[in-house]
Amino acid sequence: MEKSYEVMIGVLKRKLPIIPISSTVAIASFVLLGDTEMASYAAAELVKRITEPFDEIVTIESKGIPLAEEISKITHRKNYVVLRKSAKGYMAHPISVR
């Protein structure tokens, strides 16, 4: 039987797999990618907590993208910024900082 950890995030319940990351440490792995129900719910709840105007929605690459996209939809923002470790060939005009 696979070990898991059950978590409630608001009204949504998820069963997280326990993933070993070393010989002595394991974590309950939460991945938002592919969970559109959770991304929509979490974004709606987070937007309720925004108390001041903001200029940009910024996320780290990949795992934060679904949440940033949902927040941009709710707040009627056309764009959000994704921070990446490196520029990719398909990026027309990436902004780069050392």
Side-chain angles (χ1 to χ4, degrees):
M1 184 171 177
E2 185 177 305
K3 289 185 178 183
S4 63
Y5 178 79
E6 199 167 89
V7 64
M8 288 290 297
I9 300 175
V11 299
L12 300 179
K13 185 188 301 186
R14 294 296 183 267
K15 193 180 248 187
L16 308 180
I18 304 296
I19 307 294
I21 58 171
S22 76
S23 61
T24 59
V25 176
I27 62 168
S29 177
F30 177 82
V31 178
L32 188 60
L33 290 172
D35 191 343
T36 57
E37 179 185 40
M38 181 63 76
S40 294
Y41 177 78
E45 291 300 309
L46 286 169
V47 167
K48 289 178 190 176
R49 291 166 172 76
I50 297 172
T51 59
E52 301 199 17
F54 61 94
D55 296 322
E56 297 290 336
I57 298 166
V58 179
T59 185
I60 58 172
E61 65 179 312
S62 89
K63 291 187 180 181
I65 292 173
L67 188 58
E69 184 170 348
E70 288 298 320
I71 290 172
S72 71
K73 287 177 188 176
I74 294 167
T75 60
H76 306 287
R77 300 296 176 112
K78 292 171 87 174
N79 300 299
Y80 56 90
V81 177
V82 178
L83 304 178
R84 298 187 58 111
K85 293 177 186 174
S86 61
K88 303 298 180 194
Y90 61 82
M91 297 175 176
H93 302 287
I95 298 170
S96 180
V97 178
R98 288 181 163 235

